Amino acid sequence: MIKKAVIPAAGLGTRFLPATKAQPKEMLPIIDTPTIQFVVQEAVDSGIDDILIVSGKGKRAIEDHFDRNQELESILQEKQDEDAYNAVRHIGDMANIHYIRQKELNGLGDAISYGRQHVGNEAFAVLLGDTIIDSIIPVTQQLIDLYEQYNQSVVAVEEVPQEIVFRYGVIGGKKLTDTLWQVTEMVEKPDVDKSPSNLAFAGRYILTPEIFQALEDTPPGKNNELQLTDAMIRMGEFQSIYAHRIEGKRYDIGNKLDYLKTMVEFGLKRKEFADELMGFLKNIVKS
Ligand code: G1P
């Protein structure tokens, strides 16, 4: 059983300045819902109710968002605005959320290592706080199902165009089924011509607790940061790691163009906006 998740959300969001000067990138909304709320919802929908958010400087808004706000709740009750009241009340009750602050920005691996004490000696999920994945079965649940079968770490991957593999961690492996690989190789942000494949880490992982020792033993890698991928390589020397090609669509909110596309697609999924937004887009294309 996977009961705990770690959500790293400490990055500066420099690709999104100036919007992220005074607010966390994880709070950038998709229409009316902050990105990180989708991520927490995915964990909850996968049966996880204990979540550790690794935050940092300037991330207070995340804590406020998942806290109760009784003053706001009573105002909404007085106004009899039931929809807004329910939406606000629901957020405060989503899960048991804990916070720890990453003291220095030393990379994704370093952020995960802050989970060691909270997670203890059990396998856990990692969900990157700036990535939303839309799917019928939550991707974290897809990974949990495989973890329960194999009892080893399982990471989510997706095929990306070969020319952009340098933005990701990439695996090479032995194909077991249409959607499952046994990982034999991992590289963080490979050169396009040296990448073992175009199967890129998609921001969701189930990791066995040995990752914490591996993180401790791993020196800084790409960009002089402690890379989760490098620690997984070390852990992979002692145990198997599986890669699951996600069934779902990934939205990378850490990148402006993808953010814009996400907003449009999510707008089209909303009944109250779909027709008008589609008409608007068609008019733009026509002109
Ligand atoms: C991180 C990981 C990388 C992964 C990516 C997915 O990179 O290090 O392996 O493919 O997230 O979004 P970042 O985007 O933080 O540079």
mmCIF file of all heavy atoms in Angstrom, residues 174-210:
data_model
loop_
_atom_site.group_PDB
_atom_site.id
_atom_site.type_symbol
_atom_site.label_atom_id
_atom_site.label_comp_id
_atom_site.label_asym_id
_atom_site.label_seq_id
_atom_site.Cartn_x
_atom_site.Cartn_y
_atom_site.Cartn_z
ATOM 1 N N LYS A 174 14.455 -2.686 -21.246
ATOM 2 C CA LYS A 174 13.970 -3.884 -21.930
ATOM 3 C C LYS A 174 12.450 -3.819 -21.927
ATOM 4 O O LYS A 174 11.826 -3.734 -20.847
ATOM 5 C CB LYS A 174 14.472 -5.091 -21.132
ATOM 6 C CG LYS A 174 14.185 -6.403 -21.758
ATOM 7 C CD LYS A 174 14.968 -7.514 -21.040
ATOM 8 C CE LYS A 174 14.132 -8.767 -21.047
ATOM 9 N NZ LYS A 174 14.065 -9.449 -19.794
ATOM 10 N N LYS A 175 11.869 -3.863 -23.121
ATOM 11 C CA LYS A 175 10.416 -3.740 -23.220
ATOM 12 C C LYS A 175 9.755 -5.038 -22.769
ATOM 13 O O LYS A 175 10.068 -6.112 -23.289
ATOM 14 C CB LYS A 175 10.051 -3.418 -24.665
ATOM 15 C CG LYS A 175 8.651 -2.925 -24.825
ATOM 16 C CD LYS A 175 8.420 -2.276 -26.173
ATOM 17 C CE LYS A 175 6.992 -1.771 -26.228
ATOM 18 N NZ LYS A 175 6.653 -1.082 -27.436
ATOM 19 N N LEU A 176 8.858 -4.935 -21.784
ATOM 20 C CA LEU A 176 8.190 -6.138 -21.271
ATOM 21 C C LEU A 176 6.783 -6.269 -21.844
ATOM 22 O O LEU A 176 6.331 -7.372 -22.147
ATOM 23 C CB LEU A 176 8.113 -6.089 -19.745
ATOM 24 C CG LEU A 176 9.459 -5.973 -18.993
ATOM 25 C CD1 LEU A 176 9.223 -5.901 -17.498
ATOM 26 C CD2 LEU A 176 10.367 -7.151 -19.327
ATOM 27 N N THR A 177 6.094 -5.139 -21.939
ATOM 28 C CA THR A 177 4.770 -5.120 -22.574
ATOM 29 C C THR A 177 4.706 -3.829 -23.381
ATOM 30 O O THR A 177 5.680 -3.072 -23.424
ATOM 31 C CB THR A 177 3.617 -5.102 -21.545
ATOM 32 O OG1 THR A 177 3.582 -3.797 -20.923
ATOM 33 C CG2 THR A 177 3.744 -6.173 -20.483
ATOM 34 N N ASP A 178 3.558 -3.551 -23.944
ATOM 35 C CA ASP A 178 3.388 -2.338 -24.737
ATOM 36 C C ASP A 178 3.644 -1.072 -23.935
ATOM 37 O O ASP A 178 4.039 -0.041 -24.482
ATOM 38 C CB ASP A 178 1.939 -2.319 -25.250
ATOM 39 C CG ASP A 178 1.923 -2.244 -26.745
ATOM 40 O OD1 ASP A 178 2.997 -2.492 -27.333
ATOM 41 O OD2 ASP A 178 0.850 -1.933 -27.308
ATOM 42 N N THR A 179 3.416 -1.152 -22.622
ATOM 43 C CA THR A 179 3.518 0.059 -21.805
ATOM 44 C C THR A 179 4.514 -0.077 -20.647
ATOM 45 O O THR A 179 4.585 0.804 -19.789
ATOM 46 C CB THR A 179 2.138 0.409 -21.195
ATOM 47 O OG1 THR A 179 1.625 -0.751 -20.541
ATOM 48 C CG2 THR A 179 1.153 0.886 -22.234
ATOM 49 N N LEU A 180 5.262 -1.188 -20.600
ATOM 50 C CA LEU A 180 6.141 -1.407 -19.443
ATOM 51 C C LEU A 180 7.560 -1.794 -19.874
ATOM 52 O O LEU A 180 7.737 -2.648 -20.752
ATOM 53 C CB LEU A 180 5.560 -2.512 -18.560
ATOM 54 C CG LEU A 180 6.226 -2.695 -17.200
ATOM 55 C CD1 LEU A 180 5.935 -1.515 -16.282
ATOM 56 C CD2 LEU A 180 5.768 -3.991 -16.532
ATOM 57 N N TRP A 181 8.547 -1.155 -19.251
ATOM 58 C CA TRP A 181 9.949 -1.451 -19.514
ATOM 59 C C TRP A 181 10.648 -1.791 -18.197
ATOM 60 O O TRP A 181 10.315 -1.231 -17.151
ATOM 61 C CB TRP A 181 10.667 -0.225 -20.091
ATOM 62 C CG TRP A 181 10.395 0.027 -21.527
ATOM 63 C CD1 TRP A 181 11.199 -0.264 -22.583
ATOM 64 C CD2 TRP A 181 9.227 0.662 -22.093
ATOM 65 N NE1 TRP A 181 10.610 0.121 -23.769
ATOM 66 C CE2 TRP A 181 9.407 0.698 -23.498
ATOM 67 C CE3 TRP A 181 8.038 1.186 -21.563
ATOM 68 C CZ2 TRP A 181 8.453 1.236 -24.365
ATOM 69 C CZ3 TRP A 181 7.093 1.729 -22.413
ATOM 70 C CH2 TRP A 181 7.298 1.740 -23.798
ATOM 71 N N GLN A 182 11.618 -2.685 -18.264
ATOM 72 C CA GLN A 182 12.538 -2.830 -17.144
ATOM 73 C C GLN A 182 13.711 -1.906 -17.470
ATOM 74 O O GLN A 182 14.347 -2.026 -18.518
ATOM 75 C CB GLN A 182 13.008 -4.279 -17.019
ATOM 76 C CG GLN A 182 13.964 -4.415 -15.862
ATOM 77 C CD GLN A 182 13.947 -5.826 -15.285
ATOM 78 O OE1 GLN A 182 13.451 -6.759 -15.905
ATOM 79 N NE2 GLN A 182 14.486 -5.976 -14.094
ATOM 80 N N VAL A 183 13.963 -0.974 -16.569
ATOM 81 C CA VAL A 183 14.933 0.078 -16.876
ATOM 82 C C VAL A 183 16.357 -0.469 -16.778
ATOM 83 O O VAL A 183 16.719 -1.118 -15.802
ATOM 84 C CB VAL A 183 14.749 1.259 -15.891
ATOM 85 C CG1 VAL A 183 15.803 2.325 -16.122
ATOM 86 C CG2 VAL A 183 13.344 1.846 -16.019
ATOM 87 N N THR A 184 17.156 -0.188 -17.814
ATOM 88 C CA THR A 184 18.565 -0.613 -17.771
ATOM 89 C C THR A 184 19.493 0.597 -17.805
ATOM 90 O O THR A 184 20.676 0.502 -17.541
ATOM 91 C CB THR A 184 18.912 -1.509 -18.970
ATOM 92 O OG1 THR A 184 18.510 -0.830 -20.167
ATOM 93 C CG2 THR A 184 18.212 -2.851 -18.885
ATOM 94 N N GLU A 185 18.937 1.758 -18.129
ATOM 95 C CA GLU A 185 19.753 2.947 -18.305
ATOM 96 C C GLU A 185 18.917 4.182 -18.001
ATOM 97 O O GLU A 185 17.724 4.212 -18.320
ATOM 98 C CB GLU A 185 20.149 2.987 -19.794
ATOM 99 C CG GLU A 185 21.504 3.557 -20.083
ATOM 100 C CD GLU A 185 21.750 3.575 -21.596
ATOM 101 O OE1 GLU A 185 21.333 2.615 -22.274
ATOM 102 O OE2 GLU A 185 22.312 4.552 -22.069
ATOM 103 N N MET A 186 19.519 5.169 -17.376
ATOM 104 C CA MET A 186 18.824 6.441 -17.146
ATOM 105 C C MET A 186 19.831 7.566 -17.344
ATOM 106 O O MET A 186 20.966 7.452 -16.897
ATOM 107 C CB MET A 186 18.281 6.522 -15.716
ATOM 108 C CG MET A 186 17.120 5.598 -15.448
ATOM 109 S SD MET A 186 16.632 5.594 -13.705
ATOM 110 C CE MET A 186 17.626 4.252 -13.095
ATOM 111 N N VAL A 187 19.406 8.635 -17.976
ATOM 112 C CA VAL A 187 20.290 9.793 -18.160
ATOM 113 C C VAL A 187 19.465 11.054 -17.923
ATOM 114 O O VAL A 187 18.361 11.173 -18.457
ATOM 115 C CB VAL A 187 20.849 9.896 -19.607
ATOM 116 C CG1 VAL A 187 22.027 10.862 -19.647
ATOM 117 C CG2 VAL A 187 21.238 8.554 -20.165
ATOM 118 N N GLU A 188 19.996 11.968 -17.134
ATOM 119 C CA GLU A 188 19.307 13.241 -16.930
ATOM 120 C C GLU A 188 19.741 14.218 -18.018
ATOM 121 O O GLU A 188 20.919 14.469 -18.217
ATOM 122 C CB GLU A 188 19.618 13.802 -15.531
ATOM 123 C CG GLU A 188 18.907 15.113 -15.188
ATOM 124 C CD GLU A 188 17.383 14.996 -15.138
ATOM 125 O OE1 GLU A 188 16.847 13.881 -14.970
ATOM 126 O OE2 GLU A 188 16.719 16.043 -15.279
ATOM 127 N N LYS A 189 18.769 14.733 -18.726
ATOM 128 C CA LYS A 189 18.982 15.721 -19.788
ATOM 129 C C LYS A 189 20.123 15.342 -20.745
ATOM 130 O O LYS A 189 21.154 16.006 -20.814
ATOM 131 C CB LYS A 189 19.198 17.106 -19.164
ATOM 132 C CG LYS A 189 18.010 17.485 -18.260
ATOM 133 C CD LYS A 189 17.918 18.922 -17.912
ATOM 134 C CE LYS A 189 16.610 19.285 -17.253
ATOM 135 N NZ LYS A 189 16.241 18.581 -16.043
ATOM 136 N N PRO A 190 19.913 14.246 -21.493
ATOM 137 C CA PRO A 190 20.964 13.787 -22.408
ATOM 138 C C PRO A 190 21.086 14.682 -23.649
ATOM 139 O O PRO A 190 20.132 15.391 -23.996
ATOM 140 C CB PRO A 190 20.450 12.403 -22.836
ATOM 141 C CG PRO A 190 18.971 12.512 -22.722
ATOM 142 C CD PRO A 190 18.692 13.440 -21.577
ATOM 143 N N ASP A 191 22.246 14.605 -24.299
ATOM 144 C CA ASP A 191 22.372 15.245 -25.615
ATOM 145 C C ASP A 191 21.447 14.487 -26.560
ATOM 146 O O ASP A 191 21.299 13.258 -26.441
ATOM 147 C CB ASP A 191 23.813 15.116 -26.134
ATOM 148 C CG ASP A 191 24.767 15.945 -25.279
ATOM 149 O OD1 ASP A 191 24.299 16.877 -24.596
ATOM 150 O OD2 ASP A 191 25.980 15.634 -25.280
ATOM 151 N N VAL A 192 20.860 15.222 -27.494
ATOM 152 C CA VAL A 192 19.856 14.629 -28.386
ATOM 153 C C VAL A 192 20.410 13.402 -29.114
ATOM 154 O O VAL A 192 19.723 12.386 -29.268
ATOM 155 C CB VAL A 192 19.372 15.701 -29.395
ATOM 156 C CG1 VAL A 192 18.497 15.082 -30.481
ATOM 157 C CG2 VAL A 192 18.605 16.799 -28.666
ATOM 158 N N ASP A 193 21.673 13.449 -29.531
ATOM 159 C CA ASP A 193 22.220 12.323 -30.310
ATOM 160 C C ASP A 193 22.758 11.200 -29.423
ATOM 161 O O ASP A 193 23.188 10.172 -29.927
ATOM 162 C CB ASP A 193 23.310 12.835 -31.267
ATOM 163 C CG ASP A 193 24.368 13.646 -30.546
ATOM 164 O OD1 ASP A 193 24.144 14.003 -29.363
ATOM 165 O OD2 ASP A 193 25.425 13.912 -31.138
ATOM 166 N N LYS A 194 22.717 11.394 -28.098
ATOM 167 C CA LYS A 194 23.252 10.317 -27.238
ATOM 168 C C LYS A 194 22.183 9.706 -26.338
ATOM 169 O O LYS A 194 22.485 8.899 -25.466
ATOM 170 C CB LYS A 194 24.370 10.890 -26.359
ATOM 171 C CG LYS A 194 25.603 11.276 -27.144
ATOM 172 C CD LYS A 194 26.837 11.347 -26.250
ATOM 173 C CE LYS A 194 28.001 12.008 -26.961
ATOM 174 N NZ LYS A 194 28.189 13.399 -26.580
ATOM 175 N N SER A 195 20.927 10.116 -26.543
ATOM 176 C CA SER A 195 19.866 9.656 -25.656
ATOM 177 C C SER A 195 19.540 8.173 -25.894
ATOM 178 O O SER A 195 19.452 7.747 -27.044
ATOM 179 C CB SER A 195 18.625 10.513 -25.911
ATOM 180 O OG SER A 195 17.621 10.137 -25.034
ATOM 181 N N PRO A 196 19.357 7.403 -24.822
ATOM 182 C CA PRO A 196 19.060 5.984 -25.016
ATOM 183 C C PRO A 196 17.692 5.727 -25.658
ATOM 184 O O PRO A 196 17.454 4.644 -26.190
ATOM 185 C CB PRO A 196 19.099 5.407 -23.595
ATOM 186 C CG PRO A 196 18.999 6.564 -22.667
ATOM 187 C CD PRO A 196 19.518 7.757 -23.408
ATOM 188 N N SER A 197 16.785 6.698 -25.569
ATOM 189 C CA SER A 197 15.463 6.549 -26.200
ATOM 190 C C SER A 197 14.785 7.916 -26.156
ATOM 191 O O SER A 197 15.412 8.920 -25.813
ATOM 192 C CB SER A 197 14.598 5.542 -25.418
ATOM 193 O OG SER A 197 14.124 6.149 -24.211
ATOM 194 N N ASN A 198 13.506 7.930 -26.508
ATOM 195 C CA ASN A 198 12.764 9.188 -26.318
ATOM 196 C C ASN A 198 11.695 9.007 -25.230
ATOM 197 O O ASN A 198 10.686 9.696 -25.219
ATOM 198 C CB ASN A 198 12.147 9.660 -27.640
ATOM 199 C CG ASN A 198 11.085 8.710 -28.142
ATOM 200 O OD1 ASN A 198 11.064 7.536 -27.770
ATOM 201 N ND2 ASN A 198 10.198 9.206 -28.982
ATOM 202 N N LEU A 199 11.935 8.054 -24.322
ATOM 203 C CA LEU A 199 11.007 7.835 -23.205
ATOM 204 C C LEU A 199 11.463 8.679 -22.019
ATOM 205 O O LEU A 199 12.469 8.364 -21.366
ATOM 206 C CB LEU A 199 10.981 6.353 -22.824
ATOM 207 C CG LEU A 199 10.318 5.426 -23.836
ATOM 208 C CD1 LEU A 199 10.667 3.968 -23.538
ATOM 209 C CD2 LEU A 199 8.790 5.620 -23.825
ATOM 210 N N ALA A 200 10.737 9.743 -21.760
ATOM 211 C CA ALA A 200 11.168 10.732 -20.759
ATOM 212 C C ALA A 200 10.373 10.601 -19.466
ATOM 213 O O ALA A 200 9.172 10.284 -19.499
ATOM 214 C CB ALA A 200 10.975 12.132 -21.328
ATOM 215 N N PHE A 201 11.041 10.836 -18.352
ATOM 216 C CA PHE A 201 10.338 10.863 -17.065
ATOM 217 C C PHE A 201 9.225 11.907 -17.121
ATOM 218 O O PHE A 201 9.445 13.039 -17.527
ATOM 219 C CB PHE A 201 11.299 11.228 -15.928
ATOM 220 C CG PHE A 201 12.317 10.172 -15.648
ATOM 221 C CD1 PHE A 201 13.669 10.484 -15.597
ATOM 222 C CD2 PHE A 201 11.937 8.857 -15.435
ATOM 223 C CE1 PHE A 201 14.620 9.506 -15.337
ATOM 224 C CE2 PHE A 201 12.876 7.868 -15.172
ATOM 225 C CZ PHE A 201 14.221 8.200 -15.129
ATOM 226 N N ALA A 202 8.056 11.503 -16.638
ATOM 227 C CA ALA A 202 6.882 12.360 -16.794
ATOM 228 C C ALA A 202 6.421 12.995 -15.473
ATOM 229 O O ALA A 202 5.296 13.473 -15.375
ATOM 230 C CB ALA A 202 5.751 11.550 -17.413
ATOM 231 N N GLY A 203 7.272 12.982 -14.459
ATOM 232 C CA GLY A 203 6.935 13.728 -13.240
ATOM 233 C C GLY A 203 6.148 12.952 -12.195
ATOM 234 O O GLY A 203 5.603 13.541 -11.257
ATOM 235 N N ARG A 204 6.074 11.638 -12.338
ATOM 236 C CA ARG A 204 5.402 10.811 -11.332
ATOM 237 C C ARG A 204 6.267 9.575 -11.081
ATOM 238 O O ARG A 204 6.744 8.945 -12.036
ATOM 239 C CB ARG A 204 4.016 10.336 -11.821
ATOM 240 C CG ARG A 204 3.052 11.469 -12.152
ATOM 241 C CD ARG A 204 2.617 12.221 -10.899
ATOM 242 N NE ARG A 204 1.571 13.200 -11.192
ATOM 243 C CZ ARG A 204 1.785 14.481 -11.463
ATOM 244 N NH1 ARG A 204 3.019 14.968 -11.488
ATOM 245 N NH2 ARG A 204 0.772 15.304 -11.694
ATOM 246 N N TYR A 205 6.446 9.238 -9.810
ATOM 247 C CA TYR A 205 7.327 8.136 -9.446
ATOM 248 C C TYR A 205 6.740 7.407 -8.244
ATOM 249 O O TYR A 205 6.144 8.043 -7.362
ATOM 250 C CB TYR A 205 8.697 8.665 -8.989
ATOM 251 C CG TYR A 205 9.372 9.697 -9.880
ATOM 252 C CD1 TYR A 205 8.942 11.036 -9.923
ATOM 253 C CD2 TYR A 205 10.476 9.346 -10.662
ATOM 254 C CE1 TYR A 205 9.587 11.977 -10.715
ATOM 255 C CE2 TYR A 205 11.137 10.290 -11.456
ATOM 256 C CZ TYR A 205 10.679 11.604 -11.482
ATOM 257 O OH TYR A 205 11.321 12.542 -12.269
ATOM 258 N N ILE A 206 6.936 6.081 -8.185
ATOM 259 C CA ILE A 206 6.805 5.360 -6.918
ATOM 260 C C ILE A 206 8.215 4.891 -6.600
ATOM 261 O O ILE A 206 8.843 4.202 -7.423
ATOM 262 C CB ILE A 206 5.876 4.121 -7.024
ATOM 263 C CG1 ILE A 206 4.469 4.504 -7.469
ATOM 264 C CG2 ILE A 206 5.833 3.365 -5.675
ATOM 265 C CD1 ILE A 206 3.675 5.345 -6.514
ATOM 266 N N LEU A 207 8.708 5.276 -5.441
ATOM 267 C CA LEU A 207 10.092 4.959 -5.094
ATOM 268 C C LEU A 207 10.143 4.141 -3.817
ATOM 269 O O LEU A 207 9.388 4.411 -2.868
ATOM 270 C CB LEU A 207 10.888 6.262 -4.908
ATOM 271 C CG LEU A 207 10.990 7.140 -6.159
ATOM 272 C CD1 LEU A 207 11.602 8.492 -5.811
ATOM 273 C CD2 LEU A 207 11.798 6.448 -7.251
ATOM 274 N N THR A 208 11.032 3.165 -3.806
ATOM 275 C CA THR A 208 11.244 2.409 -2.569
ATOM 276 C C THR A 208 12.140 3.270 -1.661
ATOM 277 O O THR A 208 12.868 4.152 -2.152
ATOM 278 C CB THR A 208 11.893 1.039 -2.883
ATOM 279 O OG1 THR A 208 13.069 1.264 -3.653
ATOM 280 C CG2 THR A 208 10.940 0.147 -3.649
ATOM 281 N N PRO A 209 12.114 3.018 -0.349
ATOM 282 C CA PRO A 209 12.802 3.942 0.571
ATOM 283 C C PRO A 209 14.324 3.939 0.426
ATOM 284 O O PRO A 209 14.982 4.855 0.922
ATOM 285 C CB PRO A 209 12.378 3.446 1.960
ATOM 286 C CG PRO A 209 11.879 2.064 1.763
ATOM 287 C CD PRO A 209 11.350 1.987 0.369
ATOM 288 N N GLU A 210 14.875 2.940 -0.283
ATOM 289 C CA GLU A 210 16.333 2.920 -0.518
ATOM 290 C C GLU A 210 16.790 4.161 -1.286
ATOM 291 O O GLU A 210 17.971 4.489 -1.294
ATOM 292 C CB GLU A 210 16.741 1.654 -1.297
ATOM 293 C CG GLU A 210 16.675 0.366 -0.498
ATOM 294 C CD GLU A 210 15.256 -0.167 -0.322
ATOM 295 O OE1 GLU A 210 14.350 0.266 -1.070
ATOM 296 O OE2 GLU A 210 15.050 -1.024 0.567
#
